[in-house]
Amino acid sequence: MFRKMFAAVLGMGLMAGAAWTAENNSLPKELDFEGYADGSITEGTDGWYPSATNIVVQSSIKNKKTKAAAIPVDCILSNRFTGITNDNVWIHLDIRPSVYDGSNNPAIDTSSAIMFYVNSNGNFVMRDGPEDTGSWKTNETFDINKDGTDWLRI
């Protein structure tokens, strides 16, 4: 989805990405990559599921911790939960996003709890609406440095 890699330091109540299957994690849960060796993330470790082997833990691009995940273009790193009865879950991400260079919005993945990208103007574009429908909404009141060097907390 992003032209360049973006690094994410995930200190969160929950990182929800793909379908709510596999791991039976509970809330609250705080996840980061401090205990991981540099390199590929093994599928299922601490509930992480990378969509590609080039999603890696690395220590060269990071924010406040010593390690972060680097997620290349068109890749997904998800953490899955089952049996969660909470209606509202706080998600906290420290990210260093790059600009999406596509001319069309990405397809909406209805199994994802959070989806966003940064458009060529430096604006956040987020999925808005119910799980089964929803649409893309652009936040034009906030823009980022388009060279992919700013860390943002969302």
Side-chain angles (χ1 to χ4, degrees), residues 40-41 43 49-56 70 72-77:
S40 296
I41 298 171
E43 186 171 298
Y49 289 86
S51 66
T53 58
N54 57 344
I55 296 174
V56 297
V73 63
D74 291 328
C75 293
I76 297 169
L77 179 59

Side-chain angles (χ1 to χ4, degrees), residues 40-108:
S40 296
I41 298 171
T42 302
E43 186 171 298
T45 302
D46 295 329
W48 290 114
Y49 289 86
S51 66
T53 58
N54 57 344
I55 296 174
V56 297
V57 173
Q58 49 77 49
S59 54
S60 59
I61 300 173
K62 58 203 180 294
N63 192 15
K64 296 175 181 151
K65 303 261 183 171
T66 62
K67 299 204 176 195
I71 305 169
V73 63
D74 291 328
C75 293
I76 297 169
L77 179 59
S78 65
N79 199 291
R80 302 170 186 182
F81 290 74
T82 59
I84 303 299
T85 59
N86 305 62
D87 288 333
N88 298 303
V89 177
W90 177 69
I91 299 172
H92 165 120
L93 302 170
D94 285 326
I95 63 169
R96 192 173 118 170
S98 298
V99 174
Y100 173 68
D101 67 348
S103 57
N104 298 315
N105 290 328
I108 290 178

Side-chain angles (χ1 to χ4, degrees), residues 10-23:
L10 306 171
M12 62 191 84
L14 166 69
M15 169 56 187
W20 302 99
T21 59
E23 294 298 315

Side-chain angles (χ1 to χ4, degrees), residues 108 110 127-135:
I108 290 178
T110 58
R127 189 188 93 184
D128 182 37
E131 288 179 15
D132 57 343
T133 58
S135 61

Side-chain angles (χ1 to χ4, degrees), residues 96-128:
R96 192 173 118 170
S98 298
V99 174
Y100 173 68
D101 67 348
S103 57
N104 298 315
N105 290 328
I108 290 178
D109 180 352
T110 58
S111 66
S112 293
I114 179 173
M115 290 183 69
F116 67 91
Y117 66 94
V118 178
N119 68 15
S120 59
N121 293 325
N123 304 121
F124 269 90
V125 183
M126 297 137 297
R127 189 188 93 184
D128 182 37

